[in-house]
Amino acid sequence: MNIKETIKKFIPKFFLKVYHFKLALLGSVIFGFPGKNKTIKIIGVTGTSGKSTTCDFITRILEEAGNKVASISTIRFKIGNKERENKYKMTMPGRFVIQKFLRQAIRENCNFAVLEVTSEGIRQFRHRFINFDTAVFTNLSPEHIESHGGFEKYRSEKLKLFKATKNVHIINSDDKSAEYFIKIPARKKIAFSIIDKEEYDFRLNLPGSFNIMNALAAIAVAKNYGIDFSVCKKALEKIKEIPGRMEIVAENPFKVVVDYAHTPDQLENVYKSLGKNLICVLGSCGGGRDKWKRSILGEIAKKYCDKIFITNEDPYDENPMEIINEVAKNAGPDTKKVLDRKDAIKQAIQSAVKGDTVIITGKGSEPWMCVAEGKKIPWSDSEITKKELKIIKH
């Protein structure tokens, strides 16, 4: 356990809340309360899965409609045509970073900002002093349960974004938790459902019914701002890939896909969307957290995959081999446990033949692997995969 985590254990929760709130206030003051500037409409996207993809879809549609857009997601920071990789290893960065980003977006004359909003970010008041014009709910499944102290508390953090957003709420009505979000008052509410796909004729280059839901969420946002469906269709069909989100790295002689999936629901949805002859590489995101899901991830891999390689992901201060063993517990006797993630990817690719799909999950486009004592190792599942494929071709 690093020094930061040790200190947290001895500080009462009340003082931590005060500390985080004051940081949020200070960040807003320093950068002139950009989150309250009326020249920019801010859209917040929350949920367990699909936040980054939905943010990307919304951004592309708004741009196609002629808007200048800023956005923050797990994948990237974007202001107009300028993009940079999100290297913070945080889906929703710290208060100073967000406030500075919004100030820059206003200076660059952006009229929309799209922000990925997390439960941890909400708990630390990173969403405060920002007047969200629209809040979007994608879906909810168990995640960060140990950190929040239960699913209900996790959900209640997500609900705070909607309580803070008085104008427009956009809600996935197919989700089991939709009723909790629908109850929260707003000037306008728009629900979207998989049934809506029957009304909209569009094709995505990204596989999976979950990506159709992400697209429907983005279309609902566009509808709210008076953007015609023809613009949505044009924008969505232009998108060839999103880094680390069902990213097809190779298609011949076999398919290789990299995805961020790291929860049971996400993993199952990814495997279902890819069909048969699956060779999977997986671990368990975040040492020291969400230990409940480890054996479940292995069990899901056993259900859908023909070959399983369980490997290291982000062990932080926990023993990586112990995490691997916990994931492998219900994965079956033929599961290969490979400590070195590069080696696991290599072995998976070398074992593939024509007609197979190698699916590498857990890190997506993340640029770091987090190990003991707060150290971060530069990382890219996609780049490692591409290098290995080149070696095989030669």
Side-chain angles (χ1 to χ4, degrees):
M1 185 177 291
N2 60 38
I3 295 170
K4 188 178 176 182
E5 293 300 318
T6 305
I7 292 169
K8 276 185 183 179
K9 281 200 164 189
F10 292 99
I11 298 175
K13 287 184 180 179
F14 170 75
F15 290 110
L16 278 175
K17 282 187 176 182
V18 171
Y19 165 76
H20 288 304
F21 180 82
K22 284 187 175 181
L23 273 185
L25 177 58
L26 182 60
S28 301
V29 170
I30 288 171
F31 295 103
F33 289 94
K36 295 185 178 293
N37 193 302
K38 292 181 180 179
T39 64
I40 191 166
K41 287 184 168 62
I42 302 173
I43 301 165
V45 180
T46 197
T48 304
S49 308
K51 296 188 294 299
S52 294
T53 303
T54 301
C55 283
D56 199 80
F57 286 172
I58 293 169
T59 300
R60 305 288 187 101
I61 290 170
L62 290 171
E63 288 176 335
E64 190 69 40
N67 298 285
K68 191 168 185 182
V69 188
S71 64
I72 297 178
S73 71
T74 309
I75 301 167
R76 63 170 72 92
F77 286 70
K78 188 177 191 301
I79 295 179
N81 294 324
K82 298 172 185 174
E83 291 186 20
R84 62 185 171 95
E85 191 178 4
N86 182 350
K87 291 190 174 183
Y88 287 97
K89 193 70 170 68
M90 296 170 74
T91 299
M92 188 181 189
R95 290 132 297 222
F96 283 33
V97 175
I98 291 174
Q99 296 296 334
K100 183 180 180 181
F101 175 85
L102 290 174
R103 171 50 58 198
Q104 289 172 335
I106 292 163
R107 284 178 178 165
E108 293 289 331
N109 298 313
C110 293
N111 52 331
F112 281 98
V114 186
L115 307 181
E116 193 171 342
V117 182
T118 65
S119 58
E120 187 64 23
I122 292 170
R123 188 162 68 167
Q124 294 185 0
F125 302 103
R126 295 178 211 164
H127 70 303
R128 292 296 297 269
F129 309 105
I130 298 173
N131 288 345
F132 287 94
D133 189 64
T134 298
V136 182
F137 166 63
T138 58
N139 51 63
L140 213 62
S141 61
E143 175 72 333
H144 306 304
I145 299 306
E146 291 165 6
S147 170
H148 287 291
F151 180 73
E152 291 76 17
K153 289 182 179 179
Y154 168 61
R155 183 175 59 211
S156 70
E157 293 297 337
K158 298 283 189 186
L159 289 168
K160 286 177 184 176
L161 172 64
F162 282 73
K163 289 174 182 176
T165 306
K166 308 298 182 184
N167 194 30
V168 182
H169 293 176
I170 292 173
I171 298 162
N172 175 4
S173 60
D174 292 345
D175 192 86
K176 291 176 183 178
S177 290
E179 61 178 299
Y180 295 92
F181 292 83
I182 290 168
K183 285 176 185 176
I184 298 170
R187 182 188 65 80
K188 184 179 180 182
K189 296 184 184 186
I190 301 173
F192 65 94
S193 165
I194 194 65
I195 297 168
D196 297 338
K197 181 62 176 77
E198 297 171 13
E199 300 170 29
Y200 299 117
D201 177 26
F202 66 87
R203 295 186 68 181
L204 291 177
N205 294 305
L206 303 174
S209 60
F210 50 91
N211 275 319
I212 291 172
M213 290 301 290
N214 296 333
L216 292 170
I219 291 167
V221 171
K223 182 180 178 182
N224 174 58
Y225 291 110
I227 298 170
D228 192 79
F229 171 68
S230 61
V231 176
C232 301
K233 177 181 170 71
K234 190 176 179 182
L236 292 169
E237 293 184 350
K238 279 183 181 178
I239 301 168
K240 300 302 178 187
E241 65 176 27
I242 297 176
R245 301 303 188 274
M246 294 300 283
E247 180 183 353
I248 299 171
V249 180
E251 293 197 77
N252 287 305
F254 47 82
K255 186 181 282 189
V256 184
V257 181
V258 169
D259 191 79
Y260 187 52
H262 58 276
T263 71
D265 278 9
Q266 291 169 357
L267 199 66
E268 188 155 29
N269 286 334
V270 164
Y271 289 160
K272 280 180 180 177
S273 72
L274 292 173
K276 296 179 179 178
N277 304 324
L278 298 185
I279 299 170
C280 68
V281 178
L282 75 155
S284 183
C285 247
R289 66 197 73 178
D290 281 341
K291 295 180 181 182
W292 63 271
K293 72 181 180 183
R294 292 174 183 173
S295 63
I296 298 171
L297 295 176
E299 195 172 340
I300 292 167
K302 181 185 178 183
K303 182 179 177 182
Y304 292 97
C305 304
D306 297 308
K307 297 174 186 175
I308 301 170
F309 295 83
I310 297 176
T311 189
N312 199 9
E313 230 161 76
D314 288 301
Y316 290 89
D317 290 296
E318 195 172 348
N319 184 320
M321 205 63 222
E322 286 181 8
I323 299 174
I324 289 169
N325 287 333
E326 286 180 38
V327 178
K329 187 178 178 183
N330 294 333
D334 297 328
T335 297
K336 289 184 170 57
K337 295 185 279 188
V338 186
L339 183 60
D340 187 312
R341 190 173 178 91
K342 282 184 185 177
D343 195 28
I345 292 170
K346 177 182 177 180
Q347 288 187 39
I349 288 170
Q350 287 180 341
S351 74
V353 296
K354 189 175 180 179
D356 285 343
T357 296
V358 178
I359 169 65
I360 302 159
T361 56
K363 294 198 66 62
S365 60
E366 287 187 339
W368 308 103
M369 181 181 287
C370 296
V371 296
E373 298 177 357
K375 293 177 183 177
K376 291 196 284 191
I377 300 168
W379 194 266
S380 171
D381 274 356
S382 294
E383 290 306 311
I384 288 164
T385 301
K386 287 171 187 174
K387 285 177 184 176
E388 190 54 43
L389 286 166
K390 281 181 184 177
I391 292 167
I392 288 173
K393 284 177 183 178
H394 286 105

PDB file of all heavy atoms in Angstrom, residues 40-51:
ATOM      1  N   ILE A  40     -21.003  28.059 -23.287  1.00  0.00           N
ATOM      2  CA  ILE A  40     -20.710  26.655 -23.606  1.00  0.00           C
ATOM      3  C   ILE A  40     -21.725  25.740 -22.918  1.00  0.00           C
ATOM      4  O   ILE A  40     -22.060  25.930 -21.753  1.00  0.00           O
ATOM      5  CB  ILE A  40     -19.265  26.295 -23.192  1.00  0.00           C
ATOM      6  CG1 ILE A  40     -18.845  24.935 -23.758  1.00  0.00           C
ATOM      7  CG2 ILE A  40     -19.068  26.366 -21.684  1.00  0.00           C
ATOM      8  CD1 ILE A  40     -17.339  24.679 -23.668  1.00  0.00           C
ATOM      9  N   LYS A  41     -22.251  24.792 -23.676  1.00  0.00           N
ATOM     10  CA  LYS A  41     -23.177  23.800 -23.121  1.00  0.00           C
ATOM     11  C   LYS A  41     -22.375  22.552 -22.757  1.00  0.00           C
ATOM     12  O   LYS A  41     -21.669  21.994 -23.609  1.00  0.00           O
ATOM     13  CB  LYS A  41     -24.278  23.468 -24.117  1.00  0.00           C
ATOM     14  CG  LYS A  41     -25.313  24.576 -24.277  1.00  0.00           C
ATOM     15  CD  LYS A  41     -26.433  24.149 -25.196  1.00  0.00           C
ATOM     16  CE  LYS A  41     -27.600  25.115 -25.136  1.00  0.00           C
ATOM     17  NZ  LYS A  41     -27.247  26.469 -25.577  1.00  0.00           N
ATOM     18  N   ILE A  42     -22.510  22.130 -21.504  1.00  0.00           N
ATOM     19  CA  ILE A  42     -21.715  20.995 -21.013  1.00  0.00           C
ATOM     20  C   ILE A  42     -22.598  19.767 -20.865  1.00  0.00           C
ATOM     21  O   ILE A  42     -23.658  19.805 -20.231  1.00  0.00           O
ATOM     22  CB  ILE A  42     -21.029  21.357 -19.683  1.00  0.00           C
ATOM     23  CG1 ILE A  42     -20.142  22.596 -19.873  1.00  0.00           C
ATOM     24  CG2 ILE A  42     -20.187  20.178 -19.177  1.00  0.00           C
ATOM     25  CD1 ILE A  42     -19.547  23.159 -18.603  1.00  0.00           C
ATOM     26  N   ILE A  43     -22.154  18.673 -21.462  1.00  0.00           N
ATOM     27  CA  ILE A  43     -22.881  17.401 -21.444  1.00  0.00           C
ATOM     28  C   ILE A  43     -22.083  16.405 -20.613  1.00  0.00           C
ATOM     29  O   ILE A  43     -20.906  16.174 -20.884  1.00  0.00           O
ATOM     30  CB  ILE A  43     -23.073  16.861 -22.880  1.00  0.00           C
ATOM     31  CG1 ILE A  43     -23.857  17.869 -23.736  1.00  0.00           C
ATOM     32  CG2 ILE A  43     -23.777  15.497 -22.868  1.00  0.00           C
ATOM     33  CD1 ILE A  43     -23.778  17.610 -25.230  1.00  0.00           C
ATOM     34  N   GLY A  44     -22.698  15.801 -19.597  1.00  0.00           N
ATOM     35  CA  GLY A  44     -22.047  14.800 -18.760  1.00  0.00           C
ATOM     36  C   GLY A  44     -22.584  13.416 -19.054  1.00  0.00           C
ATOM     37  O   GLY A  44     -23.802  13.224 -19.109  1.00  0.00           O
ATOM     38  N   VAL A  45     -21.685  12.473 -19.266  1.00  0.00           N
ATOM     39  CA  VAL A  45     -22.087  11.090 -19.571  1.00  0.00           C
ATOM     40  C   VAL A  45     -21.615  10.184 -18.443  1.00  0.00           C
ATOM     41  O   VAL A  45     -20.422  10.141 -18.125  1.00  0.00           O
ATOM     42  CB  VAL A  45     -21.482  10.611 -20.908  1.00  0.00           C
ATOM     43  CG1 VAL A  45     -21.903   9.167 -21.200  1.00  0.00           C
ATOM     44  CG2 VAL A  45     -21.903  11.537 -22.051  1.00  0.00           C
ATOM     45  N   THR A  46     -22.562   9.470 -17.809  1.00  0.00           N
ATOM     46  CA  THR A  46     -22.189   8.561 -16.728  1.00  0.00           C
ATOM     47  C   THR A  46     -22.830   7.196 -16.931  1.00  0.00           C
ATOM     48  O   THR A  46     -23.753   7.028 -17.728  1.00  0.00           O
ATOM     49  CB  THR A  46     -22.570   9.159 -15.352  1.00  0.00           C
ATOM     50  OG1 THR A  46     -21.850   8.468 -14.328  1.00  0.00           O
ATOM     51  CG2 THR A  46     -24.068   9.050 -15.067  1.00  0.00           C
ATOM     52  N   GLY A  47     -22.343   6.220 -16.179  1.00  0.00           N
ATOM     53  CA  GLY A  47     -22.806   4.839 -16.301  1.00  0.00           C
ATOM     54  C   GLY A  47     -21.624   3.920 -16.036  1.00  0.00           C
ATOM     55  O   GLY A  47     -20.512   4.383 -15.793  1.00  0.00           O
ATOM     56  N   THR A  48     -21.831   2.619 -16.104  1.00  0.00           N
ATOM     57  CA  THR A  48     -20.733   1.673 -15.892  1.00  0.00           C
ATOM     58  C   THR A  48     -19.960   1.438 -17.181  1.00  0.00           C
ATOM     59  O   THR A  48     -18.742   1.494 -17.211  1.00  0.00           O
ATOM     60  CB  THR A  48     -21.263   0.336 -15.346  1.00  0.00           C
ATOM     61  OG1 THR A  48     -22.002   0.572 -14.154  1.00  0.00           O
ATOM     62  CG2 THR A  48     -20.125  -0.627 -15.051  1.00  0.00           C
ATOM     63  N   SER A  49     -20.696   1.199 -18.268  1.00  0.00           N
ATOM     64  CA  SER A  49     -20.066   0.872 -19.550  1.00  0.00           C
ATOM     65  C   SER A  49     -20.459   1.875 -20.619  1.00  0.00           C
ATOM     66  O   SER A  49     -21.524   2.492 -20.543  1.00  0.00           O
ATOM     67  CB  SER A  49     -20.499  -0.536 -20.002  1.00  0.00           C
ATOM     68  OG  SER A  49     -20.284  -1.484 -18.980  1.00  0.00           O
ATOM     69  N   GLY A  50     -19.599   1.992 -21.615  1.00  0.00           N
ATOM     70  CA  GLY A  50     -19.953   2.755 -22.808  1.00  0.00           C
ATOM     71  C   GLY A  50     -19.781   4.259 -22.721  1.00  0.00           C
ATOM     72  O   GLY A  50     -20.115   4.977 -23.664  1.00  0.00           O
ATOM     73  N   LYS A  51     -19.236   4.752 -21.600  1.00  0.00           N
ATOM     74  CA  LYS A  51     -19.125   6.214 -21.433  1.00  0.00           C
ATOM     75  C   LYS A  51     -18.198   6.832 -22.483  1.00  0.00           C
ATOM     76  O   LYS A  51     -18.539   7.832 -23.109  1.00  0.00           O
ATOM     77  CB  LYS A  51     -18.612   6.555 -20.026  1.00  0.00           C
ATOM     78  CG  LYS A  51     -19.534   6.141 -18.900  1.00  0.00           C
ATOM     79  CD  LYS A  51     -19.079   6.676 -17.558  1.00  0.00           C
ATOM     80  CE  LYS A  51     -17.746   6.097 -17.068  1.00  0.00           C
ATOM     81  NZ  LYS A  51     -17.765   4.639 -16.869  1.00  0.00           N
TER      82      LYS A  51
END
